[in-house]
Amino acid sequence: MAVWFTSDTHFGDRRALNIDRRPYPDLAAHDAGLIANWNERVAPEDTIWHLGDVAVGPSDARIADIVGALNGVKHLIVGNNDGPGTLALRDWASVGHYAEIDVEGRRLVLCHYAFRTWNGIGRGALNLHGHSHGKLAPAPRQYDVGVDVHACAPVRLDRILASRRRKKPAEPSP
């Protein structure tokens, strides 16, 4: 069973198409594409942490349909756009504003928002966040897990860490 992370899906939010320049022609394709990407990666028994801003605009019933269609044991870290209907869904294994978890031997501090400092930073803990839609400059041990950074799909910790590894310089041509 894998552990996945995502944020800022903004299902039903027309702003995501324009402001975030997501690669979908319309809102229906956006929502269907995000659901398909999620379910292609996340198995029903996998754990997934959604770090906020699930949906903006759809009715509570539509949000329930969307979240119900997503694979995995789903945990929600509340974002600034998550309304009462989203928070009350029975599909969440947990709902909170903050969490500290261990994955693959790493301590992770989860919040919708990026921190300047966090518990365990001096002992190697990582801060995973959303909210910024890839617009914050990277900081050491801090990673944006939003769909705008990770090809409109959830991401695992190994890929999150690999996203910042320095590439070896190319060998000079003869």
Side-chain angles (χ1 to χ4, degrees):
M1 294 181 286
V3 179
W4 298 86
F5 302 92
T6 196
S7 182
D8 300 291
T9 46
H10 284 263
F11 290 109
D13 187 354
R14 293 191 182 286
R15 298 172 304 167
L17 296 175
N18 300 322
I19 297 169
D20 299 320
R21 301 182 197 278
R22 293 188 182 170
Y24 301 101
D26 57 42
L27 203 50
H30 170 267
D31 291 358
L34 291 180
I35 292 168
N37 289 347
W38 179 306
N39 288 337
E40 285 171 9
R41 288 158 184 80
V42 179
E45 66 277 3
D46 288 348
T47 297
I48 180 153
W49 288 86
H50 193 301
L51 303 190
D53 287 2
V54 175
V56 179
S59 68
D60 289 349
R62 176 67 181 134
I63 295 170
D65 288 344
I66 290 169
V67 174
L70 300 170
N71 286 342
V73 177
K74 300 174 282 279
H75 298 268
L76 175 63
I77 298 297
V78 179
N80 57 298
N81 288 301
D82 294 319
T86 299
L87 302 181
L89 292 175
R90 293 179 185 210
D91 287 288
W92 303 120
S94 70
V95 175
H97 290 272
Y98 174 93
E100 293 185 22
I101 63 171
D102 291 306
V103 174
E104 299 172 14
R106 292 278 203 157
R107 188 67 171 166
L108 305 177
V109 173
L110 311 177
C111 189
H112 181 62
Y113 307 101
F115 294 139
R116 279 190 73 186
T117 188
W118 54 90
N119 188 32
I121 188 173
R123 294 181 304 281
L126 306 177
N127 171 221
L128 304 186
H129 67 88
H131 188 66
S132 61
H133 296 261
K135 293 178 174 76
L136 282 181
R141 293 189 291 273
Q142 187 175 64
Y143 299 86
D144 185 339
V145 300
V147 296
D148 297 300
V149 178
H150 296 284
C152 295
V155 62
R156 290 180 16 176
L157 184 59
D158 61 333
R159 300 303 309 153
I160 294 167
L161 297 174
S163 71
R164 289 245 201 100
R165 290 196 183 117
R166 292 185 181 169
K167 295 181 172 83
K168 289 185 178 180
E171 292 291 322
S173 10

